[in-house]
């Protein structure tokens, strides 16, 4: 089920990304009372995001498109911790994902959901990492992939997506213009645009970062998590992940601080 974050209106699990009542964002809601999960439930499962299958929005396991994203290294950084005055510091290294960024997490979920929806093609608006992740998983799924980019983007940002066979659609204008065209395509076609009409399902992949960190720390959640902002979707997803673990009593009801970080040269939220 989908539920509006603003007005609480509920929707069936279909291809929709904003509330028709108030235009608020939609979240996937699970029936947590029916989930029989404990800390031992995840032992001996594949070390990918799909080890948390019950908490991801794909129902048919045969539709899963898995390139091995997730369960990435959690580095304990003793020297860096001392240098900045912290007792303990860990860094989650998602550069070891299949296409070298955390975007493989939402891409594997979105492309799998696209197969459940019997989509004819997959696409996204992107300036780099998401393009590569979507293209790679689309290739694995055997579906055509279309990447909408601003025409002025540096070529090296889309080479990886092109290598996976994606069709690159250059849009005259900004990223917003590319995203607007992708949204229009999603409205009139049977394409699954991962960060448009699949967005509620797509963002669910990112929350697995929270699941993994807690599991890798023997279910002792961190005190403070620093997340790069971009649009803010990653921070929201990680927060949801921690809250779901609390609700399922997999971690203690600790108060986890989450801080968003932006580079000074690109800090629109700040």
């Amino acid at each position: 089920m989908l539920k509006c974050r603003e007005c609480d209106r509920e929707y069936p699990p279909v291809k929709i990304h904003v509330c028709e009542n108030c235009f608020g964002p939609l979240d996937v809601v699970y029936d947590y009372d029916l989930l029989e999960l404990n800390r031992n439930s995840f032992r001996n499962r594949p070390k990918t995001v799909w080890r948390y299958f019950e908490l991801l929005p794909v129902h048919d396991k045969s539709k899963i498109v898995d390139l091995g994203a997730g369960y990435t290294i959690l580095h304990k950084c003793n020297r860096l911790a001392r240098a900045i005055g912290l007792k303990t510091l860990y860094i989650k290294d998602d550069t070891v994902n299949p296409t070298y960024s955390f975007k493989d997490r939402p891409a594997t979920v979105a492309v799998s959901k696209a197969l459940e929806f019997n989509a004819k093609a997959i696409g996204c608006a992107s300036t780099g990492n998401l393009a590569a992740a979507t293209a790679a998983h689309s290739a694995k799924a055997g579906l055509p992939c279309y990447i909408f980019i601003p025409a002025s983007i540096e070529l090296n940002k889309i080479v990886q997506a092109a290598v996976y066979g994606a069709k690159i659609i250059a849009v005259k204008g900004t990223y917003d213009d590319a995203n607007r065209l992708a949204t229009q395509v999603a409205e009139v076609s049977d394409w699954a645009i991962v960060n448009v009409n699949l967005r509620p399902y797509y963002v669910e992949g990112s929350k697995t970062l929270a699941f993994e960190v807690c599991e890798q720390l023997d279910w002792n959640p961190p005190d403070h998590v620093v997340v790069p902002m971009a649009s803010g979707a990653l921070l929201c997803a990680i927060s949801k992940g921690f809250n779901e673990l609390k609700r399922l009593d997999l971690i203690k009801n600790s108060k986890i601080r989450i801080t968003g970080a932006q580079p000074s040269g690109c800090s629109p939220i700040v």
Side-chain angles (χ1 to χ4, degrees), residues 22-257:
C22 71
F23 300 104
L26 300 179
D27 292 323
V28 176
V29 177
Y30 304 86
D31 193 339
Y32 300 101
D33 293 333
L34 294 180
L35 294 179
E36 297 180 358
L37 294 173
N38 58 54
R39 295 178 179 180
N40 293 322
S41 299
F42 309 104
R43 291 185 178 179
N44 302 318
R45 290 190 179 186
K47 291 188 175 181
T48 74
V49 301
W50 295 104
R51 70 193 283 107
Y52 310 108
F53 173 79
E54 296 89 344
L55 292 167
L56 292 172
V58 175
H59 305 293
D60 185 350
K61 288 187 176 182
S62 71
K63 303 297 185 183
I64 291 176
V65 181
D66 188 3
L67 289 175
Y71 217 78
T72 54
I73 300 167
L74 186 66
H75 296 284
K76 188 174 183 181
C77 303
N78 295 324
R79 293 179 60 200
L80 182 57
R82 289 195 299 269
I84 60 179
L86 295 177
K87 181 179 179 181
T88 308
L89 173 66
Y90 293 91
I91 292 179
K92 188 73 161 145
D93 184 8
D94 258 25
T95 66
V96 297
N97 274 316
T99 66
Y100 317 120
S101 83
F102 86 91
K103 292 292 188 180
D104 284 310
R105 296 175 182 272
T108 183
V109 174
V111 173
S112 300
K113 194 64 181 178
L115 288 182
E116 271 199 339
F117 283 139
N118 295 314
K120 303 300 182 185
I122 298 171
C124 71
S126 174
T127 57
N129 289 333
L130 179 58
T134 301
H137 287 84
S138 298
K140 175 74 172 179
L143 287 176
C145 180
Y146 299 89
I147 308 296
F148 298 82
I149 63 167
S152 59
I153 195 173
E154 300 95 324
L155 290 178
N156 62 345
K157 288 188 174 182
I158 58 169
V159 167
Q160 192 177 7
V163 166
Y164 292 122
K167 304 294 189 297
I168 310 299
I169 301 172
V171 179
K172 186 176 181 180
T174 65
Y175 170 78
D176 288 339
D177 296 311
N179 190 66
R180 190 174 298 112
L181 179 58
T183 301
Q184 292 170 340
V185 169
E187 291 174 351
V188 300
S189 73
D190 196 22
W191 293 9
I193 308 298
V194 301
N195 53 345
V196 179
N197 56 0
L198 290 188
R199 189 169 187 83
Y201 314 102
Y202 156 86
V203 296
E204 289 291 282
S206 298
K207 71 182 182 184
T208 56
L209 276 159
F211 299 163
E212 291 173 20
V213 166
C214 290
E215 188 177 1
Q216 289 169 316
L217 293 177
D218 197 25
W219 302 105
N220 294 306
D223 298 318
H224 191 175
V225 179
V226 180
V227 182
M229 287 303 295
S231 69
L234 177 60
L235 184 146
C236 292
I238 287 175
S239 176
K240 183 182 182 184
F242 286 129
N243 288 333
E244 287 183 336
L245 293 184
K246 292 176 187 177
R247 182 162 183 172
L248 293 167
D249 202 30
L250 291 170
I251 61 174
K252 294 180 180 179
N253 191 26
S254 60
K255 293 182 179 180
I256 303 168
R257 291 178 61 201

